Amino acid sequence: MKPIRTRFAPSPTGFLHVGGIRTALFAWLVARQSGGQFVLRFEDTDKKREVEGARQHLIECLRTLGLMYDEGPDIGGPHAPYVQSERLESYKRWAQKLIDSGRAYADPYTPEEVQAFREQAQKDKKPFLYRNHRPETPPAWDGTRPLRFKSDPKAYERHDEVMGDLKTGPEVVDDFILIKSDGYPTYNFAHIIDDTEMEIDLIIRGQEFLASVPNYLNLYEALGLIPPKMATMPHVLGPDGNKKLSKRDGAKDVLDYVREGFLPETLLNFIASLGWNDATEQEVFSVQELVEKFSLSHVQKSGARFDDKRLLWMNGSHIRELELDDLYQRSAGYWGPEAAGASDDYKKQVLALIQERLKYLAEIPELTKFFFVDLPVNGSLISEHKQLKKVDQGELKNLLQQARDVLAESDFSVQDLTDRLNQLLETTGQKPAVLFSLVRIATTQAPASPGLAESLALLGKERSLGRIDQQLAAL
Ligand code: GLU
């Protein structure tokens, strides 16, 4: 495979959401897979929309997720600078070429005049085309007016790496602004110059640019350039699959997910799976597997659904794959205050017990609190329990007393506890859902816990019996 240079070219206009990360991820995957380079470029020519702190945020997102770029604003590279506002000389040079070849002209109209043309077209029920109003003798361009591209309308047949073969007619090609009156280029112009000078082989970007591609192709031709390959990503849709993903549905800052304890490898796996699969049933991929298996030809054309529940499930899967020491390191910062005095060894054992059911790291305090502190008896755990609520209180008390007597004889090894609890099942003739739930609630005061014998062994004899006494007193 020939090395492919790709780029991620965000505008620093806000936080990076899932759709943006997907573009970055796919570009990164293609570069890594082919032994090419992944370039980061800031497109900051719309100064009104720029948001303070957005650049730092974008860099932090990419680094946190492990999407390291080979060239970029903060690390430089052979095509520096990687910030559009620092490349104005370049755009001017290329604009001059277009002026010299008669393919660009100064736009003489005021915004009000252009608006009047637009309204007239609407009245005539015709699509508005700027080129129908091209001035016959445009003024010389002095930088105070917009510079417009003089298009050469024609039909195009082209191939998009995701959308397939696309055909458009000449009616979609129009004169567009290259350089605005504030001296900054438009995205439409600047990205073409940058992708050319940065030797980009493949552009991956969102669907919102698809309609403009015929204009871009026309400009590439006017400049005598061969366009890179293009891949257009479908929208990421909300959970119901209808509308575009909104903030409420999960279009939130990807760093928020990291803060909640979603693993970077889960987020990459999940985001890759928005519209891509490897044509097998496999759903959980390591980052290495994504690099090996990713292919643009398996990205679907229609919108991909963002499903929060699936993200949770997937994170649980990745958490289960982690070595305990690794999980323990990642859990730093997530333990509740009650765990503050506990030893590393004890916390690690607690983690080993909940690893199987842990869905995200911010859940750790809730799932582990009872391992560190005695919680007050919560009567509703019994009165609302499916099985226990059917059993008479006196009977429950009697059962728990028997359990206490049996446990008092145990050495509290997992094996011995298991044996004795099973024996008690037989002697009492009770169902596990009654007996074990009762002991579990008494010793944890939690609606759910890891394996009973394992939990008791870790809590230790004194603590477990003490908690049973507390529950007995309350029954
Ligand atoms: N600057 C554009 C944006 O943030 C990126 C478009 C592209 O990737 O070419 O939407």
Side-chain angles (χ1 to χ4, degrees):
M1 190 186 275
K2 180 176 158 294
I4 300 175
R5 280 175 66 82
T6 62
R7 59 24 168 216
F8 179 48
S11 305
T13 52
F15 69 79
L16 188 51
H17 52 73
V18 170
I21 301 268
R22 187 181 54 170
T23 305
L25 170 61
F26 288 180
W28 181 83
L29 288 171
V30 170
R32 288 292 164 271
Q33 183 177 67
S34 67
Q37 291 88 34
F38 174 57
V39 176
L40 174 65
R41 174 174 81 224
F42 286 147
E43 304 206 322
D44 63 338
T45 56
D46 193 348
K47 288 293 168 194
K48 292 188 296 295
R49 289 180 56 223
E50 178 137 4
V51 168
E52 167 125 16
R55 296 166 194 242
Q56 229 10 70
H57 169 80
L58 288 161
I59 287 177
E60 194 188 336
C61 280
L62 294 175
R63 288 177 181 264
T64 303
L65 293 177
L67 300 180
M68 255 329 281
Y69 37 93
D70 306 293
E71 300 164 29
D74 55 335
I75 57 172
H79 303 285
Y82 294 89
V83 179
Q84 287 188 328
S85 61
E86 295 169 23
R87 303 176 62 80
L88 301 185
E89 278 314 310
S90 238
Y91 309 130
K92 261 199 209 127
R93 215 172 45 243
W94 286 88
Q96 194 56 49
K97 277 192 198 184
L98 289 168
I99 296 170
D100 294 346
S101 61
R103 295 302 302 274
Y105 59 93
D107 179 342
Y109 302 115
T110 62
E112 292 74 24
E113 285 169 310
V114 176
Q115 185 55 25
F117 295 151
R118 214 180 274 281
E119 282 164 16
Q120 188 59 45
Q122 222 165 25
K123 262 191 224 148
D124 301 344
K125 298 202 170 19
K126 283 197 199 132
F128 169 70
L129 282 170
Y130 189 94
R131 58 177 152 86
N132 291 340
H133 306 276
R134 247 178 227 164
E136 257 160 48
T137 45
W141 185 57
D142 60 1
T144 64
R145 301 166 193 271
L147 183 71
R148 256 184 213 269
F149 174 51
K150 184 174 176 188
S151 62
D152 174 19
K154 56 170 77 166
Y156 285 103
E157 287 188 20
R158 61 190 189 89
H159 181 76
D160 183 285
E161 303 297 309
V162 170
M163 297 296 170
D165 292 328
L166 303 170
K167 275 188 191 178
T168 50
E171 69 284 354
V172 299
V173 178
D174 197 9
D175 293 4
F176 59 90
I177 295 180
L178 302 167
I179 298 192
K180 299 173 281 179
S181 54
D182 65 4
Y184 285 103
T186 55
Y187 163 79
N188 294 338
F189 181 44
H191 86 275
I192 288 177
I193 303 309
D194 293 340
D195 287 338
T196 299
E197 294 189 339
M198 294 177 186
E199 299 179 66
I200 299 302
D201 300 303
L202 168 68
I203 296 176
I204 301 181
R205 68 185 150 200
Q207 200 169 328
E208 58 273 31
F209 299 99
L210 190 62
S212 304
V213 171
N215 278 333
Y216 304 155
L217 295 178
N218 211 249
L219 179 57
Y220 277 108
E221 276 173 26
L223 291 167
L225 300 172
I226 296 170
K229 289 188 171 170
M230 297 181 194
T232 301
M233 294 299 125
H235 289 311
V236 179
L237 305 174
D240 60 3
N242 292 324
K243 48 179 196 349
K244 238 178 109 174
L245 190 67
S246 71
K247 271 191 199 166
R248 211 195 46 224
D249 298 328
K252 57 181 180 183
D253 180 346
V254 75
L255 290 177
D256 282 343
Y257 286 106
V258 175
R259 281 186 278 270
E260 284 168 27
F262 287 87
L263 309 182
E265 54 266 53
T266 304
L267 291 166
L268 295 184
N269 185 170
F270 179 74
I271 290 169
S273 77
L274 294 173
W276 171 82
N277 61 60
D278 73 338
T280 71
E281 297 290 301
Q282 184 172 348
E283 289 191 82
V284 178
F285 294 88
S286 67
V287 177
Q288 191 48 41
E289 283 177 308
L290 289 177
V291 171
E292 283 160 19
K293 299 183 176 185
F294 179 74
S295 160
L296 280 173
S297 63
H298 283 134
V299 175
Q300 71 191 36
K301 290 183 201 166
S302 52
R305 226 158 45 82
F306 183 99
D307 181 350
D308 251 329
K309 290 200 201 75
R310 190 158 168 270
L311 174 59
L312 267 180
W313 164 82
M314 198 176 266
N315 202 44
S317 302
H318 279 279
I319 286 177
R320 283 195 291 282
E321 295 284 310
L322 295 179
E323 299 285 338
L324 183 58
D325 280 329
D326 187 3
L327 177 58
Y328 184 63
Q329 266 175 22
R330 299 192 202 213
S331 74
Y334 287 96
W335 295 89
E338 62 279 350
S343 70
D344 287 330
D345 187 51
Y346 185 75
K347 280 155 73 181
K348 227 186 255 186
Q349 291 184 61
V350 169
L351 209 47
L353 288 189
I354 62 159
Q355 182 167 10
E356 191 63 29
R357 57 207 311 259
L358 187 61
K359 296 274 192 305
Y360 57 102
L361 302 179
E363 240 187 346
I364 289 177
E366 190 194 316
L367 294 182
T368 63
K369 197 164 183 187
F370 66 85
F371 281 110
F372 302 99
V373 284
D374 295 333
L375 300 171
V377 172
N378 174 357
S380 68
L381 288 173
I382 289 182
S383 65
E384 286 169 19
H385 189 275
K386 257 208 320 270
Q387 305 286 333
L388 298 181
K389 70 178 177 194
K390 293 189 249 168
V391 186
D392 155 272
Q393 286 264 322
E395 170 71 12
L396 286 180
K397 192 162 183 176
N398 180 22
L399 263 179
L400 190 54
Q401 184 62 53
Q402 287 186 59
R404 192 206 189 278
D405 295 343
V406 164
L407 293 177
E409 300 294 315
S410 174
D411 64 5
F412 267 64
S413 64
V414 173
Q415 190 55 55
D416 186 64
L417 285 163
T418 309
D419 292 346
R420 285 177 196 271
L421 286 167
N422 283 335
Q423 241 162 28
L424 188 62
L425 267 189
E426 277 180 36
T427 50
T428 59
Q430 273 298 346
K431 289 184 279 194
V434 171
L435 181 67
F436 293 169
S437 299
L438 181 61
V439 178
R440 190 174 52 67
I441 287 172
T443 50
T444 65
Q445 297 301 330
S449 75
L452 181 56
E454 288 80 1
S455 299
L456 291 174
L458 188 55
L459 285 167
K461 188 165 187 169
E462 198 184 330
R463 213 169 204 178
S464 301
L465 295 183
R467 290 182 183 184
I468 291 179
D469 289 339
Q470 198 190 1
Q471 181 81 60
L472 280 169
L475 272 170

